[in-house]
Amino acid sequence: MTTGTPPPTAPRRSRARTFVPLAIAAWAVLEIWLLTVVAETAGGFTVLLLLVAGIVLGAAVMKRAGRRAFRNLTETLQQMPGQPGAAPPQAAPSGSKGNGFLMLAGLLLMIPGVVSDVAGLLLLAPPVRSMLGRYTERSLERRMRAAGPGSLSDAFQQARIHRPDGKIVQGEVIRQDGTQPGPRPDDAPRPPLTP
């Protein structure tokens, strides 16, 4: 029995889903190879000390960045209008930016390996963090401009049309007689759909 609908086709696999696992595997092989080279040159105890120092330094960096982020959050919440003793809003101090990059630096330092440690140490330098922050900001602005107006609301609307069983119900009601429907007794705001 045929229904007249074409058979479902498998979705194309994105490039990221193909290349990211390969890049992670290549990075892991490179890290292991570099650790063996360092162990042959300087000795196994030196490698152990480097790994422990990276974990300790990474944990300290992440703790410091987490404290700064929490302090910035509490200061922002205290400056909200309507709060007792709220000060007028001020621009964020220059030291408050880049907490995400500091946390990333701590994580990279905690991951065992020479390449990740070098990347983490580079992220600890303020000029590198500010340059990466500007690049990320420009890239995000460019993507937001390319998205066009209404994209976020359209995404929410698309999320509401999906039924829990995975089927998509899209459509439009068109009255045959051309009249507009009158007010219904249940025209109150409706709760959001839940799966």
Side-chain angles (χ1 to χ4, degrees):
M1 179 169 118
T2 60
T3 60
T5 59
T9 59
R12 278 192 62 209
R13 190 175 176 136
S14 69
R15 287 186 181 186
R17 288 186 62 184
T18 303
F19 291 117
V20 168
L22 293 174
I24 290 173
W27 171 67
V29 168
L30 178 66
E31 291 282 20
I32 292 169
W33 178 73
L34 284 174
L35 283 175
T36 57
V37 168
V38 171
E40 288 175 358
T41 306
F45 187 69
T46 305
V47 170
L48 180 66
L49 284 177
L50 284 173
L51 294 176
V52 169
I55 290 172
V56 169
L57 180 62
V61 167
M62 287 184 79
K63 183 177 179 180
R64 180 174 173 235
R67 284 185 177 170
R68 279 177 44 180
F70 186 73
R71 184 177 60 241
N72 292 337
L73 176 66
T74 55
E75 287 174 0
T76 302
L77 290 176
Q78 287 174 353
Q79 291 178 356
M80 287 180 62
Q83 297 292 328
Q90 302 170 351
S94 61
S96 70
K97 292 187 177 184
N99 284 332
F101 286 124
L102 275 177
M103 288 190 178
L104 179 61
L107 179 67
L108 287 172
L109 286 169
M110 290 177 75
I111 294 174
V114 178
V115 175
S116 61
D117 287 347
V118 169
L121 289 173
L122 279 174
L123 279 177
L124 287 179
V128 174
R129 281 197 317 265
S130 65
M131 181 184 65
L132 281 175
R134 285 192 304 268
Y135 172 76
T136 305
E137 201 172 310
R138 282 194 309 263
S139 174
L140 185 63
E141 284 176 3
R142 194 171 38 245
R143 286 183 183 212
M144 292 298 285
R145 268 189 260 119
S151 295
L152 188 59
S153 65
D154 291 343
F156 282 121
Q157 182 65 25
Q158 289 296 321
R160 289 187 66 169
I161 337 181
H162 289 274
R163 292 181 38 179
D165 59 358
K167 295 180 182 175
I168 300 174
V169 179
Q170 291 180 346
E172 183 176 324
V173 176
I174 301 174
R175 298 180 69 84
Q176 293 293 331
D177 57 2
T179 61
Q180 296 293 328
R184 295 186 334 209
D186 62 340
D187 270 347
R190 297 180 183 176
L193 298 176
T194 56

